[in-house]
Amino acid sequence: MKKVYAREEYCTGCGLCQVHCITAHSPYKDNIVKAYKKTFPRPLPRVIVEEQRPVSFALQCRHCEDAPCVKACITGAMQRDPATGVVNNDESRCVGCWTCILVCPHGAVARDERGKKAASKCDMCSGIHEVPACVAGCPNGALEYRGEREKEA
Amino acid sequence: MALLKSYLTPDFLIERNKDRCIQCRVCVQQCANEVHYYDDEDGEVYSDEMKCVNCQRCVTLCPTRALVIRSSPNELRKNANWTPEVIRSIYIQAETGGVLLTGMGNDRPYPVYWDHMLLNASQVTNPSIDPLREPMECKTFLGRKPASLVFENGRLKEKIPPQLELDIPVMFSAMSFGSISLNAIKSLARAARQEGTYFNTGEGGLHKELYPYGENCIVQVASGRFGVHSEYLEAGSAVEIKIGQGAKPGIGGHLPGEKVGKEISETRMIPEGTDALSPAPHHDIYSIEDLRQLIFSLKEATGYQKPVGVKIAAVHNVAAIASGIARAGADYIAIDGYRGGTGAAPLRIRDNVGIPVEFALAAVDTRLRNEGIRNEVSLVVAGSIRSSSDVVKAVALGADAVYIASAALLALGCHMCQKCYTGKCNWGIATQDPHLTKRLNPDLGAQRAANLLRGWKHEIQEMLGGMGINALESLRGNRLMLRGIGLTEKELEILGIKAAGE
Amino acid sequence: MEYCIVGNSAAAIGAVEGIRKRDKTGRITVVSAEIYHTYSRPLISYYLAGKVKIDKMYYRPLGFYEHNGIRFIGGKPAAALDTKGRKVVLACGDEIPYDRLLVATGGKPFVPAIDGLDKKNIFTFHKLDDVKAIEKALDGRARAIIIGAGLIGMKAAEALSCLGAEVIVVELANRVLSSILDEQAGALVRDVMENHGIRFVFENTVKRVLGEERVTGVELADGNRLECDLLIVAIGVIPNTDLVKNSPVPVNRGIVVNKKMETGLPGIYAAGDVAEGDDAVLGVRRVIPILPNAYRQGEIAGLNMAGDEAAFSGGFAMNAIGFFGYSIATAGVPGGPDYEELAVLDPDERTYRKIVLKNNRLVGFIAMKDINRIGMLTGLIQEGTNVGSFKEKLVKTDFGYLDWPCELRRERVLAGGGL
């Protein structure tokens, strides 16, 4: 499957991936201003930016083939779509027990405790955009959307 | 005693549209000058305009287009003599006691002669050519050409001296590793390879990662001799002796020690952290004869397999100098006009020394022709070639090819803030700070630079076709294709062109 | 191929999904003592507290059985195993033949012999019917006593407290959650619970249950008496090995299995809370009664039952649990004299993070309140990574890939794969 790969040598740490992620997962997926100013609570970014200058990179769920979060999920909310390979959390079924956080080796699942508790993670913009918003929004090609075996650019 | 207060006021005004700002802090994160800052207490981003250099990085990256930077509307009393720039310069020097520094090219409102020349086009009497339907040759060769071609048994009798083959008459001008980042050079190197042209090392040596691009590289030998060794000379396709630079004729260069990290130190062969000082003159060149010695030393070192060129700044007696250089055995002469860019130069020198490259080119071409040695040397012009029409006009005026540097950097993202010398280039170009250099992804940079060349090539072909010319070399020195507009008799005379309507 | 799975929880579902990865057509029969569509046992406390409705408790969507071609027999406990005749005999007398059998009967509450446990309003806290019964018994401001401050007792206490009950927890140990937390961490949770009105009685136990028909109180080992309307026995869970009791399947504490989750008898597998699998950290076989472990074991069993060659890499204890929004995450060994421990405590913030190491390998951790990205540590335990060069960073609450050695980080981030 196609995944998002970080190229830390070109990540500027700007955080635009997060801006576009938040927007894509808001009710105003094409309007950043509204996504930020009219969405309560605003979605959490599903991409983590780690930075300690000069190193920085963006990381999202790796959509592991043998995903520990799927196996560990106590409610069955976390599932891997057999067709696309995308690991997705059904937030309506998630109770926020954080077992997925306990088992995710990449630390790619976040706690959203602002409304109904639910695990928040990358859904590869399934059903929102063709190319994940973080990739499309990266100004420096530091996120690549490619198949696992495709060579790095 | 330290001065307590600066009398300087902000050059720019930053307007943040509060309705649009989403406090995402991209601007804060991206400004190496620390103009923008986030106030935790207020939950808002503010700006300190005093530090702003107007590089437009924040404006470009702001996802909601909430930022506008413009010249400060703050005005001193109008004074045509004591302009704000002059006054500001005095304040700076009163505070620092130092030389005013700047970057990029001369920004004074001197006439741009390219913009005072117009191209011809065919109408009725000779047909124009459509480059989409008919072949259009943009290839050219740099190097010494024989005076005449003598054939023997159907073969050329004389061996043609080494040549540089260009698919487009545009090369990337000398910019050293040090003045610009390795990612910037990589971008240009890849673009040069892709489009069949050359990049130039400047006097920064050739980083080991760039050796694979040697075929598309002109290696420079300058007064500091940084990074020059036999492998380096062998790696390039041509060797260029740098005598002078258009932005700062007559003076040397200085790469401050803080920029000399491990990679630059290895590439330049100087200790880490030491200043790289390029002397104003080559200490072994005090005459044309000395230059001839160096030219032939380098030819000897490279087995007479590579063209050796000489780069000079366009100065008052450039024609005579060029003649001497041609006679000294150079295969090409690069003439860098007074608008040429730089990573760092004293402001007063950049803005007041040298002459327009348009005049220099016309004068040199005329002189070499008159002396009957025009074939012995190729001419490359540099110093603010801004567009494909500048290229076409340069060729018509007598150039074999042009060098571009500022235009290439603009393609990579440069926004002409002229702060290259600070080392804080927010676009990752004129900096060695690893946090900043990573902002220029050479994959994207190479694509942008190559796109620029391709775009220009299409335009050059269109203009050639319009003139009814199907090969670039048929245009060279064809000054009948040019007409002057708004020029004095004297200027027309120097340029060797007629006035529009003549 | 005829598959029979006894049990209907995580291990059983794991097995179904494991089998169906290899064998799309074999007949699968799932036998459950409960009548319900597969549901999540850990959610019963959420159900009781009113945080989830029954339709959100299903572990797999309705239609799961049909979709996977499963014959589901619900509400009929399996009573015996005929290993010679290769069939499972149900309590009702029905027989289910099998070529491959999975025993996924899970655990059952351990209920010690306390005098007076036969009274009304005494419950265990294990399955949906338990909490439905508790729900029914609750009226008004009930007073509840819970025996045991383990994971189950504590979740029951939280749920009842949310419903307005007065809750007292009686625990034999000197602290809460003694199997997964050290004293420091235990004190933090206890503090949270007490701030929500829950009372604790430590180092004590219930000697006798008081009351006539219904429970009215308990007498403790120290002679003190406590009144209550409701008593919940949450002392612990033991493997439910009843099905194989009279069969040749070897049983220790739980059913003994190899890496393929196969029992001593060919064709018969066991997984989940009933099985003794490998503990990857302690290097022993033991029952690790947690849901992620059950699912993984079930899946491995299922793959093997369908003819694959899959091996269980070993599990280890791990728990993510929360009380009144206060999060706890633990894994592996909680510490001890044989281990190296690094810890950071902030009592005001109620944050605590401790890591437990042996020979520069991470073997356990306790994280309190701030559990973001804690799975990185779980992954390090799982992979047995040598963390010697960055171990002191593991206690940072903002521990991230930046804290990893560069090479390891790049490999992990760029590989983009999983474990």
Side-chain angles (χ1 to χ4, degrees), chain C residues 327-347:
Chain C
S327 298
I328 301 168
T330 68
V333 185
D338 299 339
Y339 301 97
E340 182 188 352
E341 297 183 358
L342 298 172
V344 176
L345 169 72
D346 182 341

PDB file of all heavy atoms in Angstrom, chain C residues 327-347:
ATOM      1  N   SER C 327      -5.098   8.790  33.669  1.00  0.00           N
ATOM      2  CA  SER C 327      -4.648   7.655  32.854  1.00  0.00           C
ATOM      3  C   SER C 327      -3.436   6.962  33.451  1.00  0.00           C
ATOM      4  O   SER C 327      -2.540   7.596  34.005  1.00  0.00           O
ATOM      5  CB  SER C 327      -4.277   8.145  31.454  1.00  0.00           C
ATOM      6  OG  SER C 327      -5.409   8.683  30.831  1.00  0.00           O
ATOM      7  N   ILE C 328      -3.438   5.676  33.247  1.00  0.00           N
ATOM      8  CA  ILE C 328      -2.319   4.852  33.705  1.00  0.00           C
ATOM      9  C   ILE C 328      -1.936   3.928  32.563  1.00  0.00           C
ATOM     10  O   ILE C 328      -2.801   3.348  31.906  1.00  0.00           O
ATOM     11  CB  ILE C 328      -2.741   3.968  34.906  1.00  0.00           C
ATOM     12  CG1 ILE C 328      -3.235   4.836  36.053  1.00  0.00           C
ATOM     13  CG2 ILE C 328      -1.604   3.052  35.351  1.00  0.00           C
ATOM     14  CD1 ILE C 328      -3.939   4.039  37.139  1.00  0.00           C
ATOM     15  N   ALA C 329      -0.652   3.787  32.343  1.00  0.00           N
ATOM     16  CA  ALA C 329      -0.202   2.785  31.372  1.00  0.00           C
ATOM     17  C   ALA C 329       0.983   2.048  31.980  1.00  0.00           C
ATOM     18  O   ALA C 329       1.908   2.675  32.496  1.00  0.00           O
ATOM     19  CB  ALA C 329       0.201   3.449  30.066  1.00  0.00           C
ATOM     20  N   THR C 330       0.898   0.751  31.937  1.00  0.00           N
ATOM     21  CA  THR C 330       1.996  -0.040  32.483  1.00  0.00           C
ATOM     22  C   THR C 330       2.280  -1.194  31.541  1.00  0.00           C
ATOM     23  O   THR C 330       1.419  -1.609  30.767  1.00  0.00           O
ATOM     24  CB  THR C 330       1.658  -0.645  33.861  1.00  0.00           C
ATOM     25  OG1 THR C 330       0.646  -1.643  33.684  1.00  0.00           O
ATOM     26  CG2 THR C 330       1.176   0.400  34.838  1.00  0.00           C
ATOM     27  N   ALA C 331       3.488  -1.693  31.630  1.00  0.00           N
ATOM     28  CA  ALA C 331       3.807  -2.901  30.869  1.00  0.00           C
ATOM     29  C   ALA C 331       4.974  -3.597  31.540  1.00  0.00           C
ATOM     30  O   ALA C 331       5.776  -2.969  32.245  1.00  0.00           O
ATOM     31  CB  ALA C 331       4.165  -2.557  29.421  1.00  0.00           C
ATOM     32  N   GLY C 332       5.013  -4.893  31.329  1.00  0.00           N
ATOM     33  CA  GLY C 332       6.139  -5.689  31.802  1.00  0.00           C
ATOM     34  C   GLY C 332       6.246  -5.718  33.314  1.00  0.00           C
ATOM     35  O   GLY C 332       5.245  -5.738  34.031  1.00  0.00           O
ATOM     36  N   VAL C 333       7.482  -5.663  33.757  1.00  0.00           N
ATOM     37  CA  VAL C 333       7.766  -5.812  35.183  1.00  0.00           C
ATOM     38  C   VAL C 333       7.619  -4.464  35.881  1.00  0.00           C
ATOM     39  O   VAL C 333       8.168  -3.470  35.418  1.00  0.00           O
ATOM     40  CB  VAL C 333       9.224  -6.313  35.362  1.00  0.00           C
ATOM     41  CG1 VAL C 333       9.508  -6.602  36.820  1.00  0.00           C
ATOM     42  CG2 VAL C 333       9.487  -7.522  34.487  1.00  0.00           C
ATOM     43  N   PRO C 334       6.885  -4.425  36.997  1.00  0.00           N
ATOM     44  CA  PRO C 334       6.736  -3.136  37.677  1.00  0.00           C
ATOM     45  C   PRO C 334       7.961  -2.712  38.480  1.00  0.00           C
ATOM     46  O   PRO C 334       7.974  -1.649  39.071  1.00  0.00           O
ATOM     47  CB  PRO C 334       5.529  -3.361  38.588  1.00  0.00           C
ATOM     48  CG  PRO C 334       5.415  -4.824  38.780  1.00  0.00           C
ATOM     49  CD  PRO C 334       6.062  -5.488  37.599  1.00  0.00           C
ATOM     50  N   GLY C 335       8.972  -3.518  38.508  1.00  0.00           N
ATOM     51  CA  GLY C 335      10.193  -3.150  39.241  1.00  0.00           C
ATOM     52  C   GLY C 335      10.579  -4.204  40.256  1.00  0.00           C
ATOM     53  O   GLY C 335       9.973  -5.278  40.314  1.00  0.00           O
ATOM     54  N   GLY C 336      11.595  -3.909  41.008  1.00  0.00           N
ATOM     55  CA  GLY C 336      12.024  -4.852  42.036  1.00  0.00           C
ATOM     56  C   GLY C 336      13.521  -4.814  42.211  1.00  0.00           C
ATOM     57  O   GLY C 336      14.235  -4.146  41.451  1.00  0.00           O
ATOM     58  N   PRO C 337      13.993  -5.499  43.204  1.00  0.00           N
ATOM     59  CA  PRO C 337      15.423  -5.419  43.544  1.00  0.00           C
ATOM     60  C   PRO C 337      16.363  -5.953  42.452  1.00  0.00           C
ATOM     61  O   PRO C 337      17.514  -5.550  42.395  1.00  0.00           O
ATOM     62  CB  PRO C 337      15.528  -6.276  44.807  1.00  0.00           C
ATOM     63  CG  PRO C 337      14.283  -7.097  44.853  1.00  0.00           C
ATOM     64  CD  PRO C 337      13.235  -6.358  44.121  1.00  0.00           C
ATOM     65  N   ASP C 338      15.871  -6.804  41.588  1.00  0.00           N
ATOM     66  CA  ASP C 338      16.755  -7.366  40.563  1.00  0.00           C
ATOM     67  C   ASP C 338      16.904  -6.459  39.346  1.00  0.00           C
ATOM     68  O   ASP C 338      17.552  -6.827  38.376  1.00  0.00           O
ATOM     69  CB  ASP C 338      16.198  -8.715  40.076  1.00  0.00           C
ATOM     70  CG  ASP C 338      16.121  -9.704  41.211  1.00  0.00           C
ATOM     71  OD1 ASP C 338      16.838  -9.496  42.206  1.00  0.00           O
ATOM     72  OD2 ASP C 338      15.328 -10.662  41.111  1.00  0.00           O
ATOM     73  N   TYR C 339      16.251  -5.323  39.376  1.00  0.00           N
ATOM     74  CA  TYR C 339      16.212  -4.489  38.183  1.00  0.00           C
ATOM     75  C   TYR C 339      16.784  -3.104  38.433  1.00  0.00           C
ATOM     76  O   TYR C 339      16.839  -2.635  39.565  1.00  0.00           O
ATOM     77  CB  TYR C 339      14.760  -4.345  37.703  1.00  0.00           C
ATOM     78  CG  TYR C 339      14.107  -5.661  37.380  1.00  0.00           C
ATOM     79  CD1 TYR C 339      13.298  -6.307  38.308  1.00  0.00           C
ATOM     80  CD2 TYR C 339      14.310  -6.260  36.139  1.00  0.00           C
ATOM     81  CE1 TYR C 339      12.700  -7.517  38.004  1.00  0.00           C
ATOM     82  CE2 TYR C 339      13.713  -7.470  35.834  1.00  0.00           C
ATOM     83  CZ  TYR C 339      12.910  -8.098  36.764  1.00  0.00           C
ATOM     84  OH  TYR C 339      12.322  -9.292  36.453  1.00  0.00           O
ATOM     85  N   GLU C 340      17.166  -2.493  37.318  1.00  0.00           N
ATOM     86  CA  GLU C 340      17.573  -1.091  37.376  1.00  0.00           C
ATOM     87  C   GLU C 340      16.312  -0.259  37.160  1.00  0.00           C
ATOM     88  O   GLU C 340      15.517  -0.548  36.257  1.00  0.00           O
ATOM     89  CB  GLU C 340      18.580  -0.816  36.255  1.00  0.00           C
ATOM     90  CG  GLU C 340      19.114   0.602  36.241  1.00  0.00           C
ATOM     91  CD  GLU C 340      19.979   0.909  35.002  1.00  0.00           C
ATOM     92  OE1 GLU C 340      20.274  -0.040  34.235  1.00  0.00           O
ATOM     93  OE2 GLU C 340      20.327   2.067  34.816  1.00  0.00           O
ATOM     94  N   GLU C 341      16.137   0.761  37.972  1.00  0.00           N
ATOM     95  CA  GLU C 341      14.931   1.579  37.831  1.00  0.00           C
ATOM     96  C   GLU C 341      15.310   3.052  37.684  1.00  0.00           C
ATOM     97  O   GLU C 341      16.206   3.535  38.362  1.00  0.00           O
ATOM     98  CB  GLU C 341      14.034   1.427  39.068  1.00  0.00           C
ATOM     99  CG  GLU C 341      13.505   0.021  39.270  1.00  0.00           C
ATOM    100  CD  GLU C 341      12.567  -0.077  40.473  1.00  0.00           C
ATOM    101  OE1 GLU C 341      12.368   0.944  41.153  1.00  0.00           O
ATOM    102  OE2 GLU C 341      12.054  -1.179  40.716  1.00  0.00           O
ATOM    103  N   LEU C 342      14.623   3.724  36.775  1.00  0.00           N
ATOM    104  CA  LEU C 342      14.769   5.175  36.662  1.00  0.00           C
ATOM    105  C   LEU C 342      13.372   5.753  36.762  1.00  0.00           C
ATOM    106  O   LEU C 342      12.441   5.237  36.141  1.00  0.00           O
ATOM    107  CB  LEU C 342      15.380   5.566  35.311  1.00  0.00           C
ATOM    108  CG  LEU C 342      16.782   5.060  34.996  1.00  0.00           C
ATOM    109  CD1 LEU C 342      17.141   5.381  33.554  1.00  0.00           C
ATOM    110  CD2 LEU C 342      17.793   5.693  35.933  1.00  0.00           C
ATOM    111  N   ALA C 343      13.218   6.795  37.555  1.00  0.00           N
ATOM    112  CA  ALA C 343      11.867   7.315  37.738  1.00  0.00           C
ATOM    113  C   ALA C 343      11.871   8.825  37.895  1.00  0.00           C
ATOM    114  O   ALA C 343      12.838   9.413  38.371  1.00  0.00           O
ATOM    115  CB  ALA C 343      11.227   6.665  38.960  1.00  0.00           C
ATOM    116  N   VAL C 344      10.788   9.435  37.442  1.00  0.00           N
ATOM    117  CA  VAL C 344      10.573  10.867  37.631  1.00  0.00           C
ATOM    118  C   VAL C 344       9.164  11.050  38.184  1.00  0.00           C
ATOM    119  O   VAL C 344       8.192  10.563  37.608  1.00  0.00           O
ATOM    120  CB  VAL C 344      10.713  11.641  36.301  1.00  0.00           C
ATOM    121  CG1 VAL C 344      10.389  13.109  36.508  1.00  0.00           C
ATOM    122  CG2 VAL C 344      12.126  11.498  35.741  1.00  0.00           C
ATOM    123  N   LEU C 345       9.077  11.741  39.296  1.00  0.00           N
ATOM    124  CA  LEU C 345       7.786  11.932  39.951  1.00  0.00           C
ATOM    125  C   LEU C 345       7.525  13.421  40.112  1.00  0.00           C
ATOM    126  O   LEU C 345       8.408  14.173  40.516  1.00  0.00           O
ATOM    127  CB  LEU C 345       7.805  11.261  41.332  1.00  0.00           C
ATOM    128  CG  LEU C 345       6.632  11.565  42.265  1.00  0.00           C
ATOM    129  CD1 LEU C 345       5.365  10.871  41.782  1.00  0.00           C
ATOM    130  CD2 LEU C 345       6.944  11.144  43.693  1.00  0.00           C
ATOM    131  N   ASP C 346       6.301  13.833  39.786  1.00  0.00           N
ATOM    132  CA  ASP C 346       5.888  15.194  40.098  1.00  0.00           C
ATOM    133  C   ASP C 346       4.571  15.087  40.860  1.00  0.00           C
ATOM    134  O   ASP C 346       3.503  14.951  40.265  1.00  0.00           O
ATOM    135  CB  ASP C 346       5.713  16.001  38.792  1.00  0.00           C
ATOM    136  CG  ASP C 346       5.338  17.445  39.073  1.00  0.00           C
ATOM    137  OD1 ASP C 346       4.867  17.738  40.204  1.00  0.00           O
ATOM    138  OD2 ASP C 346       5.504  18.286  38.181  1.00  0.00           O
ATOM    139  N   PRO C 347       4.646  15.116  42.183  1.00  0.00           N
ATOM    140  CA  PRO C 347       3.434  14.856  42.985  1.00  0.00           C
ATOM    141  C   PRO C 347       2.360  15.911  42.752  1.00  0.00           C
ATOM    142  O   PRO C 347       1.173  15.600  42.775  1.00  0.00           O
ATOM    143  CB  PRO C 347       3.935  14.887  44.434  1.00  0.00           C
ATOM    144  CG  PRO C 347       5.408  15.063  44.390  1.00  0.00           C
ATOM    145  CD  PRO C 347       5.814  15.403  43.003  1.00  0.00           C
TER     146      PRO C 347
END
